[in-house]
Amino acid sequence: EAQVTQNPRYLITVTGKKLTVTCSQNMNHEYMSWYRQDPGLGLRQIYYSMNVEVTDKGDVPEGYKVSRKEKRNFPLILESPSPNQTSLYFCASSLKNRARQETQYFGPGTRLLVL
Amino acid sequence: DAKTTQPNSMESNEEEPVHLPCNHSTISGTDYIHWYRQLPSQGPEYVIHGLTSNVNNRMASLAIAEDRKSSTLILHRATLRDAAVYYCILRLGGSQGNLIFGKGTKLSVKP
């Protein structure tokens, strides 16, 4: 089954403790992206990757890192989490994402609470 | 990406058609209109997209105004499972892939 998976689905952590949220897709997609969703602010893009070893900042990249060493994986790294990073995170992928008619596939989400 | 305007919320009765409007008066000739929806506690999912002509798929229909300044997502027979937030998004050509999600329309379906 074609899908985007994220782990963990739920995470409670403390300020400053490094964490990684994994994202994997099995569709051989070139493009992958991370979004965060907050009440009243909607979904905002954090980082995206057009292909292996190619990443770029989205609208809200501060406090986050990403890497794209393999096509299928795009982990989101919080080196020193803070309470304002408490949010619902979604990973997404699409084939190439340069065509205006391409669609994005989203993962199930990771709910993060930073105390 | 260009801006879209949608009503905050709408209500429907089960098994009746639902028409979800979207205004995009600043749309350019090459922008595609995409609709996504987000069911409770799930990630967004693609619904439908179009450029100029009306489009149908197994989930919904998309009616695009002749001047392309507005569009309507049509659910032919709403079910309880269709209760979700529906987002209307414009995709520009050559964009980096950023889907600009607005606040969307929260659709409630009454049994």
mmCIF file with all atom_site columns, all heavy atoms in Angstrom, chain B residues 11-37:
data_model
loop_
_atom_site.group_PDB
_atom_site.id
_atom_site.type_symbol
_atom_site.label_atom_id
_atom_site.label_alt_id
_atom_site.label_comp_id
_atom_site.label_asym_id
_atom_site.label_entity_id
_atom_site.label_seq_id
_atom_site.pdbx_PDB_ins_code
_atom_site.Cartn_x
_atom_site.Cartn_y
_atom_site.Cartn_z
_atom_site.occupancy
_atom_site.B_iso_or_equiv
_atom_site.pdbx_formal_charge
_atom_site.auth_seq_id
_atom_site.auth_comp_id
_atom_site.auth_asym_id
_atom_site.auth_atom_id
_atom_site.pdbx_PDB_model_num
ATOM 1   N N   . GLU B 1 11 ? -22.899 23.554 7.124   1.00 0.00 ? 11 GLU B N   1
ATOM 2   C CA  . GLU B 1 11 ? -23.588 22.379 7.639   1.00 0.00 ? 11 GLU B CA  1
ATOM 3   C C   . GLU B 1 11 ? -24.342 21.699 6.518   1.00 0.00 ? 11 GLU B C   1
ATOM 4   O O   . GLU B 1 11 ? -24.821 22.353 5.596   1.00 0.00 ? 11 GLU B O   1
ATOM 5   C CB  . GLU B 1 11 ? -24.599 22.795 8.725   1.00 0.00 ? 11 GLU B CB  1
ATOM 6   C CG  . GLU B 1 11 ? -24.030 22.802 10.113  1.00 0.00 ? 11 GLU B CG  1
ATOM 7   C CD  . GLU B 1 11 ? -25.122 22.938 11.170  1.00 0.00 ? 11 GLU B CD  1
ATOM 8   O OE1 . GLU B 1 11 ? -26.309 23.031 10.808  1.00 0.00 ? 11 GLU B OE1 1
ATOM 9   O OE2 . GLU B 1 11 ? -24.773 22.952 12.346  1.00 0.00 ? 11 GLU B OE2 1
ATOM 10  N N   . SER B 1 12 ? -24.464 20.399 6.634   1.00 0.00 ? 12 SER B N   1
ATOM 11  C CA  . SER B 1 12 ? -25.223 19.653 5.638   1.00 0.00 ? 12 SER B CA  1
ATOM 12  C C   . SER B 1 12 ? -25.942 18.514 6.334   1.00 0.00 ? 12 SER B C   1
ATOM 13  O O   . SER B 1 12 ? -25.557 18.078 7.417   1.00 0.00 ? 12 SER B O   1
ATOM 14  C CB  . SER B 1 12 ? -24.263 19.091 4.581   1.00 0.00 ? 12 SER B CB  1
ATOM 15  O OG  . SER B 1 12 ? -24.933 18.197 3.726   1.00 0.00 ? 12 SER B OG  1
ATOM 16  N N   . ASN B 1 13 ? -26.991 18.042 5.675   1.00 0.00 ? 13 ASN B N   1
ATOM 17  C CA  . ASN B 1 13 ? -27.652 16.830 6.150   1.00 0.00 ? 13 ASN B CA  1
ATOM 18  C C   . ASN B 1 13 ? -27.104 15.634 5.391   1.00 0.00 ? 13 ASN B C   1
ATOM 19  O O   . ASN B 1 13 ? -26.723 15.721 4.217   1.00 0.00 ? 13 ASN B O   1
ATOM 20  C CB  . ASN B 1 13 ? -29.162 16.933 5.942   1.00 0.00 ? 13 ASN B CB  1
ATOM 21  C CG  . ASN B 1 13 ? -29.778 18.005 6.797   1.00 0.00 ? 13 ASN B CG  1
ATOM 22  O OD1 . ASN B 1 13 ? -29.456 18.136 7.978   1.00 0.00 ? 13 ASN B OD1 1
ATOM 23  N ND2 . ASN B 1 13 ? -30.668 18.788 6.206   1.00 0.00 ? 13 ASN B ND2 1
ATOM 24  N N   . GLU B 1 14 ? -27.080 14.522 6.094   1.00 0.00 ? 14 GLU B N   1
ATOM 25  C CA  . GLU B 1 14 ? -26.592 13.291 5.479   1.00 0.00 ? 14 GLU B CA  1
ATOM 26  C C   . GLU B 1 14 ? -27.409 12.960 4.229   1.00 0.00 ? 14 GLU B C   1
ATOM 27  O O   . GLU B 1 14 ? -28.622 13.171 4.182   1.00 0.00 ? 14 GLU B O   1
ATOM 28  C CB  . GLU B 1 14 ? -26.696 12.155 6.495   1.00 0.00 ? 14 GLU B CB  1
ATOM 29  C CG  . GLU B 1 14 ? -25.857 10.940 6.166   1.00 0.00 ? 14 GLU B CG  1
ATOM 30  C CD  . GLU B 1 14 ? -25.919 9.887  7.260   1.00 0.00 ? 14 GLU B CD  1
ATOM 31  O OE1 . GLU B 1 14 ? -26.760 10.022 8.176   1.00 0.00 ? 14 GLU B OE1 1
ATOM 32  O OE2 . GLU B 1 14 ? -25.130 8.946  7.196   1.00 0.00 ? 14 GLU B OE2 1
ATOM 33  N N   . GLU B 1 15 ? -26.682 12.482 3.216   1.00 0.00 ? 15 GLU B N   1
ATOM 34  C CA  . GLU B 1 15 ? -27.255 12.051 1.942   1.00 0.00 ? 15 GLU B CA  1
ATOM 35  C C   . GLU B 1 15 ? -27.779 13.192 1.077   1.00 0.00 ? 15 GLU B C   1
ATOM 36  O O   . GLU B 1 15 ? -28.382 12.932 0.037   1.00 0.00 ? 15 GLU B O   1
ATOM 37  C CB  . GLU B 1 15 ? -28.348 10.999 2.154   1.00 0.00 ? 15 GLU B CB  1
ATOM 38  C CG  . GLU B 1 15 ? -27.838 9.798  2.928   1.00 0.00 ? 15 GLU B CG  1
ATOM 39  C CD  . GLU B 1 15 ? -28.599 8.522  2.641   1.00 0.00 ? 15 GLU B CD  1
ATOM 40  O OE1 . GLU B 1 15 ? -29.612 8.587  1.928   1.00 0.00 ? 15 GLU B OE1 1
ATOM 41  O OE2 . GLU B 1 15 ? -28.163 7.469  3.113   1.00 0.00 ? 15 GLU B OE2 1
ATOM 42  N N   . GLU B 1 16 ? -27.517 14.422 1.463   1.00 0.00 ? 16 GLU B N   1
ATOM 43  C CA  . GLU B 1 16 ? -27.859 15.557 0.603   1.00 0.00 ? 16 GLU B CA  1
ATOM 44  C C   . GLU B 1 16 ? -26.591 16.087 -0.055  1.00 0.00 ? 16 GLU B C   1
ATOM 45  O O   . GLU B 1 16 ? -25.488 15.898 0.456   1.00 0.00 ? 16 GLU B O   1
ATOM 46  C CB  . GLU B 1 16 ? -28.523 16.660 1.421   1.00 0.00 ? 16 GLU B CB  1
ATOM 47  C CG  . GLU B 1 16 ? -29.910 16.284 1.896   1.00 0.00 ? 16 GLU B CG  1
ATOM 48  C CD  . GLU B 1 16 ? -30.616 17.435 2.581   1.00 0.00 ? 16 GLU B CD  1
ATOM 49  O OE1 . GLU B 1 16 ? -29.998 18.504 2.756   1.00 0.00 ? 16 GLU B OE1 1
ATOM 50  O OE2 . GLU B 1 16 ? -31.782 17.258 2.951   1.00 0.00 ? 16 GLU B OE2 1
ATOM 51  N N   . PRO B 1 17 ? -26.725 16.775 -1.202  1.00 0.00 ? 17 PRO B N   1
ATOM 52  C CA  . PRO B 1 17 ? -25.529 17.346 -1.843  1.00 0.00 ? 17 PRO B CA  1
ATOM 53  C C   . PRO B 1 17 ? -25.004 18.537 -1.051  1.00 0.00 ? 17 PRO B C   1
ATOM 54  O O   . PRO B 1 17 ? -25.762 19.231 -0.369  1.00 0.00 ? 17 PRO B O   1
ATOM 55  C CB  . PRO B 1 17 ? -26.054 17.779 -3.215  1.00 0.00 ? 17 PRO B CB  1
ATOM 56  C CG  . PRO B 1 17 ? -27.522 17.952 -3.030  1.00 0.00 ? 17 PRO B CG  1
ATOM 57  C CD  . PRO B 1 17 ? -27.955 16.992 -1.987  1.00 0.00 ? 17 PRO B CD  1
ATOM 58  N N   . VAL B 1 18 ? -23.705 18.734 -1.156  1.00 0.00 ? 18 VAL B N   1
ATOM 59  C CA  . VAL B 1 18 ? -23.039 19.853 -0.492  1.00 0.00 ? 18 VAL B CA  1
ATOM 60  C C   . VAL B 1 18 ? -22.228 20.615 -1.530  1.00 0.00 ? 18 VAL B C   1
ATOM 61  O O   . VAL B 1 18 ? -21.504 20.000 -2.322  1.00 0.00 ? 18 VAL B O   1
ATOM 62  C CB  . VAL B 1 18 ? -22.079 19.373 0.612   1.00 0.00 ? 18 VAL B CB  1
ATOM 63  C CG1 . VAL B 1 18 ? -21.439 20.566 1.319   1.00 0.00 ? 18 VAL B CG1 1
ATOM 64  C CG2 . VAL B 1 18 ? -22.788 18.483 1.602   1.00 0.00 ? 18 VAL B CG2 1
ATOM 65  N N   . HIS B 1 19 ? -22.369 21.938 -1.498  1.00 0.00 ? 19 HIS B N   1
ATOM 66  C CA  . HIS B 1 19 ? -21.605 22.795 -2.407  1.00 0.00 ? 19 HIS B CA  1
ATOM 67  C C   . HIS B 1 19 ? -20.693 23.688 -1.567  1.00 0.00 ? 19 HIS B C   1
ATOM 68  O O   . HIS B 1 19 ? -21.168 24.561 -0.839  1.00 0.00 ? 19 HIS B O   1
ATOM 69  C CB  . HIS B 1 19 ? -22.554 23.648 -3.257  1.00 0.00 ? 19 HIS B CB  1
ATOM 70  C CG  . HIS B 1 19 ? -23.335 22.860 -4.253  1.00 0.00 ? 19 HIS B CG  1
ATOM 71  N ND1 . HIS B 1 19 ? -23.358 23.159 -5.596  1.00 0.00 ? 19 HIS B ND1 1
ATOM 72  C CD2 . HIS B 1 19 ? -24.099 21.758 -4.122  1.00 0.00 ? 19 HIS B CD2 1
ATOM 73  C CE1 . HIS B 1 19 ? -24.114 22.284 -6.246  1.00 0.00 ? 19 HIS B CE1 1
ATOM 74  N NE2 . HIS B 1 19 ? -24.572 21.428 -5.360  1.00 0.00 ? 19 HIS B NE2 1
ATOM 75  N N   . LEU B 1 20 ? -19.403 23.461 -1.673  1.00 0.00 ? 20 LEU B N   1
ATOM 76  C CA  . LEU B 1 20 ? -18.435 24.223 -0.898  1.00 0.00 ? 20 LEU B CA  1
ATOM 77  C C   . LEU B 1 20 ? -17.784 25.261 -1.815  1.00 0.00 ? 20 LEU B C   1
ATOM 78  O O   . LEU B 1 20 ? -17.057 24.906 -2.740  1.00 0.00 ? 20 LEU B O   1
ATOM 79  C CB  . LEU B 1 20 ? -17.367 23.287 -0.314  1.00 0.00 ? 20 LEU B CB  1
ATOM 80  C CG  . LEU B 1 20 ? -17.894 22.257 0.678   1.00 0.00 ? 20 LEU B CG  1
ATOM 81  C CD1 . LEU B 1 20 ? -16.906 21.121 0.863   1.00 0.00 ? 20 LEU B CD1 1
ATOM 82  C CD2 . LEU B 1 20 ? -18.168 22.916 2.014   1.00 0.00 ? 20 LEU B CD2 1
ATOM 83  N N   . PRO B 1 21 ? -18.007 26.552 -1.543  1.00 0.00 ? 21 PRO B N   1
ATOM 84  C CA  . PRO B 1 21 ? -17.487 27.575 -2.456  1.00 0.00 ? 21 PRO B CA  1
ATOM 85  C C   . PRO B 1 21 ? -16.072 28.023 -2.110  1.00 0.00 ? 21 PRO B C   1
ATOM 86  O O   . PRO B 1 21 ? -15.635 27.911 -0.958  1.00 0.00 ? 21 PRO B O   1
ATOM 87  C CB  . PRO B 1 21 ? -18.465 28.740 -2.233  1.00 0.00 ? 21 PRO B CB  1
ATOM 88  C CG  . PRO B 1 21 ? -18.869 28.596 -0.792  1.00 0.00 ? 21 PRO B CG  1
ATOM 89  C CD  . PRO B 1 21 ? -18.849 27.120 -0.484  1.00 0.00 ? 21 PRO B CD  1
ATOM 90  N N   . CYS B 1 22 ? -15.393 28.542 -3.111  1.00 0.00 ? 22 CYS B N   1
ATOM 91  C CA  . CYS B 1 22 ? -14.063 29.111 -2.925  1.00 0.00 ? 22 CYS B CA  1
ATOM 92  C C   . CYS B 1 22 ? -13.887 30.266 -3.903  1.00 0.00 ? 22 CYS B C   1
ATOM 93  O O   . CYS B 1 22 ? -14.153 30.116 -5.095  1.00 0.00 ? 22 CYS B O   1
ATOM 94  C CB  . CYS B 1 22 ? -12.990 28.042 -3.164  1.00 0.00 ? 22 CYS B CB  1
ATOM 95  S SG  . CYS B 1 22 ? -11.299 28.626 -2.969  1.00 0.00 ? 22 CYS B SG  1
ATOM 96  N N   . ASN B 1 23 ? -13.461 31.401 -3.380  1.00 0.00 ? 23 ASN B N   1
ATOM 97  C CA  . ASN B 1 23 ? -13.156 32.548 -4.239  1.00 0.00 ? 23 ASN B CA  1
ATOM 98  C C   . ASN B 1 23 ? -11.648 32.681 -4.388  1.00 0.00 ? 23 ASN B C   1
ATOM 99  O O   . ASN B 1 23 ? -10.909 32.584 -3.407  1.00 0.00 ? 23 ASN B O   1
ATOM 100 C CB  . ASN B 1 23 ? -13.733 33.832 -3.649  1.00 0.00 ? 23 ASN B CB  1
ATOM 101 C CG  . ASN B 1 23 ? -15.241 33.889 -3.798  1.00 0.00 ? 23 ASN B CG  1
ATOM 102 O OD1 . ASN B 1 23 ? -15.775 33.506 -4.826  1.00 0.00 ? 23 ASN B OD1 1
ATOM 103 N ND2 . ASN B 1 23 ? -15.925 34.337 -2.777  1.00 0.00 ? 23 ASN B ND2 1
ATOM 104 N N   . HIS B 1 24 ? -11.218 32.904 -5.605  1.00 0.00 ? 24 HIS B N   1
ATOM 105 C CA  . HIS B 1 24 ? -9.787  33.093 -5.890  1.00 0.00 ? 24 HIS B CA  1
ATOM 106 C C   . HIS B 1 24 ? -9.674  34.124 -7.003  1.00 0.00 ? 24 HIS B C   1
ATOM 107 O O   . HIS B 1 24 ? -9.277  33.801 -8.134  1.00 0.00 ? 24 HIS B O   1
ATOM 108 C CB  . HIS B 1 24 ? -9.087  31.781 -6.240  1.00 0.00 ? 24 HIS B CB  1
ATOM 109 C CG  . HIS B 1 24 ? -9.961  30.738 -6.868  1.00 0.00 ? 24 HIS B CG  1
ATOM 110 N ND1 . HIS B 1 24 ? -10.343 30.789 -8.203  1.00 0.00 ? 24 HIS B ND1 1
ATOM 111 C CD2 . HIS B 1 24 ? -10.534 29.635 -6.338  1.00 0.00 ? 24 HIS B CD2 1
ATOM 112 C CE1 . HIS B 1 24 ? -11.099 29.742 -8.460  1.00 0.00 ? 24 HIS B CE1 1
ATOM 113 N NE2 . HIS B 1 24 ? -11.240 29.035 -7.361  1.00 0.00 ? 24 HIS B NE2 1
ATOM 114 N N   . SER B 1 25 ? -10.005 35.357 -6.672  1.00 0.00 ? 25 SER B N   1
ATOM 115 C CA  . SER B 1 25 ? -10.115 36.407 -7.691  1.00 0.00 ? 25 SER B CA  1
ATOM 116 C C   . SER B 1 25 ? -8.771  36.782 -8.299  1.00 0.00 ? 25 SER B C   1
ATOM 117 O O   . SER B 1 25 ? -8.725  37.386 -9.376  1.00 0.00 ? 25 SER B O   1
ATOM 118 C CB  . SER B 1 25 ? -10.786 37.642 -7.094  1.00 0.00 ? 25 SER B CB  1
ATOM 119 O OG  . SER B 1 25 ? -10.060 38.081 -5.972  1.00 0.00 ? 25 SER B OG  1
ATOM 120 N N   . THR B 1 26 ? -7.660  36.461 -7.620  1.00 0.00 ? 26 THR B N   1
ATOM 121 C CA  . THR B 1 26 ? -6.333  36.826 -8.147  1.00 0.00 ? 26 THR B CA  1
ATOM 122 C C   . THR B 1 26 ? -5.672  35.679 -8.903  1.00 0.00 ? 26 THR B C   1
ATOM 123 O O   . THR B 1 26 ? -4.490  35.737 -9.198  1.00 0.00 ? 26 THR B O   1
ATOM 124 C CB  . THR B 1 26 ? -5.409  37.273 -7.005  1.00 0.00 ? 26 THR B CB  1
ATOM 125 O OG1 . THR B 1 26 ? -5.276  36.189 -6.072  1.00 0.00 ? 26 THR B OG1 1
ATOM 126 C CG2 . THR B 1 26 ? -5.965  38.495 -6.287  1.00 0.00 ? 26 THR B CG2 1
ATOM 127 N N   . ILE B 1 27 ? -6.420  34.673 -9.230  1.00 0.00 ? 27 ILE B N   1
ATOM 128 C CA  . ILE B 1 27 ? -5.861  33.510 -9.908  1.00 0.00 ? 27 ILE B CA  1
ATOM 129 C C   . ILE B 1 27 ? -5.281  33.913 -11.266 1.00 0.00 ? 27 ILE B C   1
ATOM 130 O O   . ILE B 1 27 ? -5.820  34.786 -11.951 1.00 0.00 ? 27 ILE B O   1
ATOM 131 C CB  . ILE B 1 27 ? -6.944  32.416 -10.076 1.00 0.00 ? 27 ILE B CB  1
ATOM 132 C CG1 . ILE B 1 27 ? -6.325  31.088 -10.511 1.00 0.00 ? 27 ILE B CG1 1
ATOM 133 C CG2 . ILE B 1 27 ? -8.033  32.876 -11.043 1.00 0.00 ? 27 ILE B CG2 1
ATOM 134 C CD1 . ILE B 1 27 ? -7.316  29.931 -10.472 1.00 0.00 ? 27 ILE B CD1 1
ATOM 135 N N   . SER B 1 28 ? -4.158  33.304 -11.625 1.00 0.00 ? 28 SER B N   1
ATOM 136 C CA  . SER B 1 28 ? -3.585  33.570 -12.939 1.00 0.00 ? 28 SER B CA  1
ATOM 137 C C   . SER B 1 28 ? -3.930  32.411 -13.871 1.00 0.00 ? 28 SER B C   1
ATOM 138 O O   . SER B 1 28 ? -4.405  31.364 -13.441 1.00 0.00 ? 28 SER B O   1
ATOM 139 C CB  . SER B 1 28 ? -2.072  33.739 -12.852 1.00 0.00 ? 28 SER B CB  1
ATOM 140 O OG  . SER B 1 28 ? -1.460  32.485 -12.647 1.00 0.00 ? 28 SER B OG  1
ATOM 141 N N   . GLY B 1 29 ? -3.671  32.618 -15.156 1.00 0.00 ? 29 GLY B N   1
ATOM 142 C CA  . GLY B 1 29 ? -4.114  31.657 -16.160 1.00 0.00 ? 29 GLY B CA  1
ATOM 143 C C   . GLY B 1 29 ? -3.524  30.266 -16.042 1.00 0.00 ? 29 GLY B C   1
ATOM 144 O O   . GLY B 1 29 ? -4.091  29.302 -16.543 1.00 0.00 ? 29 GLY B O   1
ATOM 145 N N   . THR B 1 30 ? -2.396  30.141 -15.356 1.00 0.00 ? 30 THR B N   1
ATOM 146 C CA  . THR B 1 30 ? -1.732  28.834 -15.280 1.00 0.00 ? 30 THR B CA  1
ATOM 147 C C   . THR B 1 30 ? -1.840  28.192 -13.900 1.00 0.00 ? 30 THR B C   1
ATOM 148 O O   . THR B 1 30 ? -1.239  27.152 -13.657 1.00 0.00 ? 30 THR B O   1
ATOM 149 C CB  . THR B 1 30 ? -0.247  28.979 -15.642 1.00 0.00 ? 30 THR B CB  1
ATOM 150 O OG1 . THR B 1 30 ? 0.336   29.971 -14.781 1.00 0.00 ? 30 THR B OG1 1
ATOM 151 C CG2 . THR B 1 30 ? -0.082  29.405 -17.092 1.00 0.00 ? 30 THR B CG2 1
ATOM 152 N N   . ASP B 1 31 ? -2.575  28.800 -12.992 1.00 0.00 ? 31 ASP B N   1
ATOM 153 C CA  . ASP B 1 31 ? -2.731  28.227 -11.643 1.00 0.00 ? 31 ASP B CA  1
ATOM 154 C C   . ASP B 1 31 ? -3.756  27.105 -11.656 1.00 0.00 ? 31 ASP B C   1
ATOM 155 O O   . ASP B 1 31 ? -4.863  27.271 -12.166 1.00 0.00 ? 31 ASP B O   1
ATOM 156 C CB  . ASP B 1 31 ? -3.207  29.294 -10.649 1.00 0.00 ? 31 ASP B CB  1
ATOM 157 C CG  . ASP B 1 31 ? -2.193  30.387 -10.417 1.00 0.00 ? 31 ASP B CG  1
ATOM 158 O OD1 . ASP B 1 31 ? -1.017  30.185 -10.768 1.00 0.00 ? 31 ASP B OD1 1
ATOM 159 O OD2 . ASP B 1 31 ? -2.586  31.435 -9.870  1.00 0.00 ? 31 ASP B OD2 1
ATOM 160 N N   . TYR B 1 32 ? -3.382  25.993 -11.050 1.00 0.00 ? 32 TYR B N   1
ATOM 161 C CA  . TYR B 1 32 ? -4.334  24.920 -10.854 1.00 0.00 ? 32 TYR B CA  1
ATOM 162 C C   . TYR B 1 32 ? -5.070  25.120 -9.526  1.00 0.00 ? 32 TYR B C   1
ATOM 163 O O   . TYR B 1 32 ? -4.520  25.641 -8.568  1.00 0.00 ? 32 TYR B O   1
ATOM 164 C CB  . TYR B 1 32 ? -3.616  23.564 -10.801 1.00 0.00 ? 32 TYR B CB  1
ATOM 165 C CG  . TYR B 1 32 ? -3.428  22.921 -12.150 1.00 0.00 ? 32 TYR B CG  1
ATOM 166 C CD1 . TYR B 1 32 ? -2.457  23.384 -13.028 1.00 0.00 ? 32 TYR B CD1 1
ATOM 167 C CD2 . TYR B 1 32 ? -4.221  21.855 -12.539 1.00 0.00 ? 32 TYR B CD2 1
ATOM 168 C CE1 . TYR B 1 32 ? -2.279  22.781 -14.264 1.00 0.00 ? 32 TYR B CE1 1
ATOM 169 C CE2 . TYR B 1 32 ? -4.054  21.250 -13.778 1.00 0.00 ? 32 TYR B CE2 1
ATOM 170 C CZ  . TYR B 1 32 ? -3.083  21.725 -14.634 1.00 0.00 ? 32 TYR B CZ  1
ATOM 171 O OH  . TYR B 1 32 ? -2.915  21.139 -15.857 1.00 0.00 ? 32 TYR B OH  1
ATOM 172 N N   . ILE B 1 33 ? -6.318  24.695 -9.501  1.00 0.00 ? 33 ILE B N   1
ATOM 173 C CA  . ILE B 1 33 ? -7.131  24.748 -8.286  1.00 0.00 ? 33 ILE B CA  1
ATOM 174 C C   . ILE B 1 33 ? -7.145  23.343 -7.687  1.00 0.00 ? 33 ILE B C   1
ATOM 175 O O   . ILE B 1 33 ? -7.542  22.376 -8.335  1.00 0.00 ? 33 ILE B O   1
ATOM 176 C CB  . ILE B 1 33 ? -8.574  25.184 -8.608  1.00 0.00 ? 33 ILE B CB  1
ATOM 177 C CG1 . ILE B 1 33 ? -8.561  26.553 -9.294  1.00 0.00 ? 33 ILE B CG1 1
ATOM 178 C CG2 . ILE B 1 33 ? -9.417  25.213 -7.334  1.00 0.00 ? 33 ILE B CG2 1
ATOM 179 C CD1 . ILE B 1 33 ? -9.799  26.819 -10.109 1.00 0.00 ? 33 ILE B CD1 1
ATOM 180 N N   . HIS B 1 34 ? -6.669  23.262 -6.455  1.00 0.00 ? 34 HIS B N   1
ATOM 181 C CA  . HIS B 1 34 ? -6.640  21.976 -5.752  1.00 0.00 ? 34 HIS B CA  1
ATOM 182 C C   . HIS B 1 34 ? -7.550  22.041 -4.535  1.00 0.00 ? 34 HIS B C   1
ATOM 183 O O   . HIS B 1 34 ? -7.641  23.075 -3.863  1.00 0.00 ? 34 HIS B O   1
ATOM 184 C CB  . HIS B 1 34 ? -5.218  21.669 -5.256  1.00 0.00 ? 34 HIS B CB  1
ATOM 185 C CG  . HIS B 1 34 ? -4.277  21.213 -6.320  1.00 0.00 ? 34 HIS B CG  1
ATOM 186 N ND1 . HIS B 1 34 ? -3.716  19.961 -6.344  1.00 0.00 ? 34 HIS B ND1 1
ATOM 187 C CD2 . HIS B 1 34 ? -3.791  21.861 -7.410  1.00 0.00 ? 34 HIS B CD2 1
ATOM 188 C CE1 . HIS B 1 34 ? -2.916  19.856 -7.392  1.00 0.00 ? 34 HIS B CE1 1
ATOM 189 N NE2 . HIS B 1 34 ? -2.945  20.983 -8.052  1.00 0.00 ? 34 HIS B NE2 1
ATOM 190 N N   . TRP B 1 35 ? -8.148  20.917 -4.213  1.00 0.00 ? 35 TRP B N   1
ATOM 191 C CA  . TRP B 1 35 ? -8.905  20.768 -2.967  1.00 0.00 ? 35 TRP B CA  1
ATOM 192 C C   . TRP B 1 35 ? -8.330  19.599 -2.170  1.00 0.00 ? 35 TRP B C   1
ATOM 193 O O   . TRP B 1 35 ? -8.110  18.508 -2.713  1.00 0.00 ? 35 TRP B O   1
ATOM 194 C CB  . TRP B 1 35 ? -10.387 20.524 -3.240  1.00 0.00 ? 35 TRP B CB  1
ATOM 195 C CG  . TRP B 1 35 ? -11.140 21.743 -3.656  1.00 0.00 ? 35 TRP B CG  1
ATOM 196 C CD1 . TRP B 1 35 ? -11.191 22.301 -4.902  1.00 0.00 ? 35 TRP B CD1 1
ATOM 197 C CD2 . TRP B 1 35 ? -11.979 22.557 -2.833  1.00 0.00 ? 35 TRP B CD2 1
ATOM 198 N NE1 . TRP B 1 35 ? -11.987 23.406 -4.906  1.00 0.00 ? 35 TRP B NE1 1
ATOM 199 C CE2 . TRP B 1 35 ? -12.491 23.591 -3.652  1.00 0.00 ? 35 TRP B CE2 1
ATOM 200 C CE3 . TRP B 1 35 ? -12.350 22.519 -1.490  1.00 0.00 ? 35 TRP B CE3 1
ATOM 201 C CZ2 . TRP B 1 35 ? -13.358 24.574 -3.167  1.00 0.00 ? 35 TRP B CZ2 1
ATOM 202 C CZ3 . TRP B 1 35 ? -13.205 23.491 -1.010  1.00 0.00 ? 35 TRP B CZ3 1
ATOM 203 C CH2 . TRP B 1 35 ? -13.702 24.507 -1.840  1.00 0.00 ? 35 TRP B CH2 1
ATOM 204 N N   . TYR B 1 36 ? -8.098  19.870 -0.903  1.00 0.00 ? 36 TYR B N   1
ATOM 205 C CA  . TYR B 1 36 ? -7.712  18.849 0.051   1.00 0.00 ? 36 TYR B CA  1
ATOM 206 C C   . TYR B 1 36 ? -8.728  18.876 1.180   1.00 0.00 ? 36 TYR B C   1
ATOM 207 O O   . TYR B 1 36 ? -9.410  19.883 1.396   1.00 0.00 ? 36 TYR B O   1
ATOM 208 C CB  . TYR B 1 36 ? -6.314  19.117 0.627   1.00 0.00 ? 36 TYR B CB  1
ATOM 209 C CG  . TYR B 1 36 ? -5.176  18.757 -0.295  1.00 0.00 ? 36 TYR B CG  1
ATOM 210 C CD1 . TYR B 1 36 ? -4.896  19.520 -1.425  1.00 0.00 ? 36 TYR B CD1 1
ATOM 211 C CD2 . TYR B 1 36 ? -4.368  17.661 -0.036  1.00 0.00 ? 36 TYR B CD2 1
ATOM 212 C CE1 . TYR B 1 36 ? -3.857  19.179 -2.272  1.00 0.00 ? 36 TYR B CE1 1
ATOM 213 C CE2 . TYR B 1 36 ? -3.317  17.317 -0.878  1.00 0.00 ? 36 TYR B CE2 1
ATOM 214 C CZ  . TYR B 1 36 ? -3.073  18.083 -1.993  1.00 0.00 ? 36 TYR B CZ  1
ATOM 215 O OH  . TYR B 1 36 ? -2.040  17.752 -2.834  1.00 0.00 ? 36 TYR B OH  1
ATOM 216 N N   . ARG B 1 37 ? -8.799  17.787 1.908   1.00 0.00 ? 37 ARG B N   1
ATOM 217 C CA  . ARG B 1 37 ? -9.628  17.786 3.098   1.00 0.00 ? 37 ARG B CA  1
ATOM 218 C C   . ARG B 1 37 ? -8.868  17.118 4.229   1.00 0.00 ? 37 ARG B C   1
ATOM 219 O O   . ARG B 1 37 ? -7.955  16.311 4.006   1.00 0.00 ? 37 ARG B O   1
ATOM 220 C CB  . ARG B 1 37 ? -10.960 17.087 2.860   1.00 0.00 ? 37 ARG B CB  1
ATOM 221 C CG  . ARG B 1 37 ? -10.878 15.575 2.754   1.00 0.00 ? 37 ARG B CG  1
ATOM 222 C CD  . ARG B 1 37 ? -12.259 14.981 2.557   1.00 0.00 ? 37 ARG B CD  1
ATOM 223 N NE  . ARG B 1 37 ? -12.246 13.523 2.568   1.00 0.00 ? 37 ARG B NE  1
ATOM 224 C CZ  . ARG B 1 37 ? -13.327 12.780 2.413   1.00 0.00 ? 37 ARG B CZ  1
ATOM 225 N NH1 . ARG B 1 37 ? -14.526 13.355 2.248   1.00 0.00 ? 37 ARG B NH1 1
ATOM 226 N NH2 . ARG B 1 37 ? -13.239 11.465 2.441   1.00 0.00 ? 37 ARG B NH2 1
#
